[in-house]
Every structure is written in structure tokens, then in C-alpha cells.
Amino acid sequence: MRINPVNLNHVNYNFEHFVKETVQQDNKRDPRYFIREIYDFQKQYSKFGMVDMFCDKLADFAEMLQGKGLKDFAGMVYSSLAKFPINKDTRISILEKAIKNAESQGDKFHVLARVVDLKKLYKDEWMSKQYVRTLLREEKCLKSIVTDFEEAKKNFRVVGNASRTQDDYRWDLAVAKIDIAKATMKQNPKLALSKIKSAKRIFVDLERPDELEFAEQLENQIKLKHR
């Protein structure tokens, strides 16, 4: 049992002990317990107004875990950090590290999750090159998952049960293609029309008439503007 923290020094002591325990226990630590501890420490550091300090400590912890080959736990720390109220540049840096960690494990689902987090950060830069590049990364991740879904599931590091189906990800892929089309329709209408064409095929296969109708309307809109 940990010492109930009465000041920041106690919190720091408890966290350092937690870090040592995790490294010493290697992969034997229960992932659910590990995540609960992370969130408990977040509450403690928040109580003392030291969330930024905790984010720095977690980032160092994630890199340490990665260096020790404890990539599953590093991924959990990165996933936690991605949800913290930190500035945009720091969040982007953390997300890129999380993506590299997930890629090194062949975990396509967590690569996708962190790319989607990046997309949300860049969404206010509508039609920017960075936003479009992130959309293309999302499309690539989804295509890889859909192409070999069963193999991708084997490397899915998750605490709990995954319930989404291959068709769910096919629908996500079609939507991602539509998002690319909307973001590139002015600068690159040829690319936009190509993405819509691919998306329409998926909507037809999945029997999604409403999405198909929207795609056709967008397609006609682009064609009218670039005749």
C-alpha cells in the first residue's frame, strides 16, 4: 500500500516507487492496475496544480519503458498522455512518439488511434498541408487494417475486448476518403474525385445509401466547379 500523499514530495516519492516497481516487474504487472495507477497519480498531481510536471514525468517514463522493451506499457502511458490538457506542440510530439511505439509493435489499431488524435489537433487548420497529410496517414492506416484484418487483430494491444468489425473499419476508410476529398477539392480536384470514387464503391458494398448520396452530391459539386 502506498503512503497517502500529504504534499507534493510524497506524490513524487510514490510515483518514483511506482516507476521502479514497473521496471522491476517487467511484463508481469497487471495492465488494468497499471492504468488505474496512472489516473490516480494524475488526480494527485492535479490536486497540487502540477499537471505539467506529471506530463513531463510520464513522457520520461514512457521513453524509459520503451528503452527497456516494455512497449505495451509505454503505449499505455502515451495513450494516457494523449488525453491530458497539454499544449498543442507538446501533444503533437507525444502523439508522434506514441505512433512510433505502436508501429514498432505492429499494432495498427493504436497507430490509427493516435493518428486520429493528430487529425483532431490539425482540424482547425482546414485544408492545410499538415491536415491533409494527416488525413492521408489515417487512410493508409485504415487501408492496412481492412486489407488484412485478422492479422492486424493479432497485434492489437488492448485492455479489454475489441468489438469493432472489419466492415466498421471499411466504413471509416470510406469516410476518411470523403474527408480527403473535402479538404483537397479546391487545390487538387483530381485527387478529390479519385477518393470519392473509391468511397462510393465501399458505400455500395456496405449498403449505405445516405452516405452514397452525399458522396455523389460532393462529386457533382466538384465536377461543376472544375469543368
Side-chain angles (χ1 to χ4, degrees), residues 121-138:
L121 289 179
Y122 289 124
K123 199 165 185 177
D124 59 345
E125 302 173 24
W126 182 251
M127 294 188 180
S128 70
K129 289 182 179 179
Q130 190 59 60
Y131 180 64
V132 172
R133 278 197 291 268
T134 306
L135 290 175
L136 291 169
R137 287 175 77 178
E138 179 188 21

Side-chain angles (χ1 to χ4, degrees), residues 166-181:
Q166 186 175 18
D167 280 349
D168 290 331
Y169 287 100
R170 289 183 69 205
W171 185 82
D172 287 347
L173 176 58
V175 172
K177 290 176 181 293
I178 294 297
D179 285 344
I180 294 169

Side-chain angles (χ1 to χ4, degrees), residues 41-67:
F41 278 116
Q42 180 187 357
K43 290 177 184 177
Q44 293 174 31
Y45 278 97
S46 296
K47 178 182 175 182
F48 292 104
M50 301 301 291
V51 174
D52 288 345
M53 173 190 284
F54 184 48
C55 288
D56 290 340
K57 286 179 176 291
L58 275 186
D60 291 342
F61 185 31
E63 291 188 15
M64 178 193 298
L65 291 169
Q66 215 170 351

Side-chain angles (χ1 to χ4, degrees), residues 162-216:
S163 59
R164 301 197 75 212
T165 67
Q166 186 175 18
D167 280 349
D168 290 331
Y169 287 100
R170 289 183 69 205
W171 185 82
D172 287 347
L173 176 58
V175 172
K177 290 176 181 293
I178 294 297
D179 285 344
I180 294 169
K182 289 190 291 185
T184 61
M185 58 190 288
K186 290 184 179 179
Q187 295 90 345
N188 195 338
K190 186 176 179 180
L191 174 64
L193 289 171
S194 171
K195 297 302 179 184
I196 292 172
K197 184 177 179 180
S198 297
K200 283 170 60 180
R201 286 197 294 266
I202 298 173
F203 290 141
V204 169
D205 287 344
L206 296 178
E207 298 181 350
R208 302 296 291 256
D210 292 342
E211 288 86 345
L212 178 60
E213 182 181 358
F214 177 83
E216 288 175 340

Side-chain angles (χ1 to χ4, degrees), residues 6-152:
V6 295
N7 58 43
L8 185 59
N9 287 336
H10 284 171
V11 178
N12 285 332
Y13 173 85
N14 286 346
F15 183 73
E16 288 168 10
H17 183 65
F18 170 68
V19 169
K20 290 177 183 177
E21 275 186 343
T22 302
V23 173
Q24 288 171 357
Q25 290 182 22
D26 201 25
N27 279 312
K28 299 180 182 67
R29 170 150 284 187
D30 181 353
R32 290 177 178 82
Y33 169 81
F34 180 81
I35 290 172
R36 284 198 302 271
E37 286 285 276
I38 293 291
Y39 283 113
D40 186 48
F41 278 116
Q42 180 187 357
K43 290 177 184 177
Q44 293 174 31
Y45 278 97
S46 296
K47 178 182 175 182
F48 292 104
M50 301 301 291
V51 174
D52 288 345
M53 173 190 284
F54 184 48
C55 288
D56 290 340
K57 286 179 176 291
L58 275 186
D60 291 342
F61 185 31
E63 291 188 15
M64 178 193 298
L65 291 169
Q66 215 170 351
K68 297 286 186 180
L70 301 174
K71 294 180 180 179
D72 283 353
F73 290 102
M76 293 175 208
V77 175
Y78 282 129
S79 294
S80 299
L81 273 169
K83 301 176 180 71
F84 281 17
I86 51 182
N87 70 68
K88 183 175 178 178
D89 289 342
T90 301
R91 191 182 297 276
I92 289 170
S93 175
I94 287 168
L95 288 172
E96 291 291 359
K97 290 177 181 178
I99 289 168
K100 287 182 180 178
N101 183 69
E103 285 177 339
S104 71
Q105 295 175 285
D107 187 345
K108 297 178 181 180
F109 295 98
H110 276 99
V111 172
L112 173 63
R114 302 291 78 82
V115 169
V116 170
D117 287 338
L118 275 179
K119 180 181 72 171
K120 292 173 183 176
L121 289 179
Y122 289 124
K123 199 165 185 177
D124 59 345
E125 302 173 24
W126 182 251
M127 294 188 180
S128 70
K129 289 182 179 179
Q130 190 59 60
Y131 180 64
V132 172
R133 278 197 291 268
T134 306
L135 290 175
L136 291 169
R137 287 175 77 178
E138 179 188 21
E139 180 195 31
K140 183 180 179 181
C141 291
L142 285 164
K143 186 176 180 180
S144 179
I145 289 170
V146 167
T147 299
D148 200 349
F149 187 66
E150 293 304 318
E151 186 62 30

